[in-house]
Amino acid sequence: MENFRIGNGYDVHALAEGLPLRLGGVDIESPVGCVAHSDGDVPIHALCDAILGALALGDIGKHFPDTSDEFRGIDSCILLERTMALAAEAGYRIGNADITVALQRPRLAPYIERMRERLAGLMSAPVDAVSVKATTTEKLGFVGRGEGCEAYAVVLLVRA
Ligand code: MG
């Protein structure tokens, strides 16, 4: 078993008026929210895919299919906990994680620290091992037009 494994993840959800917006396990005050089978927590989905990628265990759709009733409206924090259980089973813990969320509006700056704390707690990692960054796309593309939210995640797993 290697001492280190690296993985990356990416996720997108469309935005629509009047839906709740939950990102990084934190409720965001917003006129728009993610259209999704689960709660549409884009950064958590990217993070799960990064962890699964590091483990070479497929992707989030394989483990938590969006065709399954079990996962309808599910709190994505549960998906992250289950993904971490797979990492632990394989003998790994989080070394560090770095996440970028792209959203045109609302501004995420006031929520970043809470997201880091929440994600660190879910992954049993210290807060200083979890980075969350937010960006707009300068009004370019589907994110810039306010049609969707996307997130990228990179994780380093360390042998537990
Ligand atoms: Mg998703």
Side-chain angles (χ1 to χ4, degrees), residues 90-108:
Y92 290 95
R93 62 175 174 80
I94 294 289
N96 71 300
D98 185 21
I99 301 152
T100 301
V101 186
L103 183 69
Q104 191 60 39
R105 73 188 171 100
R107 287 189 67 249
L108 296 177

Side-chain angles (χ1 to χ4, degrees), residues 13-30:
H13 280 273
L15 294 167
E17 301 274 338
L19 293 174
L21 183 63
R22 194 158 208 261
L23 298 174
V26 173
D27 292 316
I28 312 288
E29 212 171 295
S30 169

Side-chain angles (χ1 to χ4, degrees), residues 134-153:
T135 185
T136 69
T137 60
E138 300 290 344
K139 299 193 174 166
L140 296 170
F142 70 87
V143 170
R145 289 189 298 272
E147 295 167 5
C149 174
E150 65 183 345
Y152 300 85

Side-chain angles (χ1 to χ4, degrees), residues 5-8 48-64 82-92 157:
R5 304 276 301 201
I6 192 167
N8 85 95
C48 288
D49 258 356
I51 296 164
L52 292 169
L55 297 166
L57 282 179
D59 60 30
I60 193 171
K62 174 184 166 187
H63 291 272
F64 315 112
R82 292 204 195 174
T83 302
M84 282 306 300
L86 293 171
E89 224 170 87
Y92 290 95
L157 298 182

Side-chain angles (χ1 to χ4, degrees), residues 11-13 45:
D11 193 42
V12 178
H13 280 273
H45 295 176

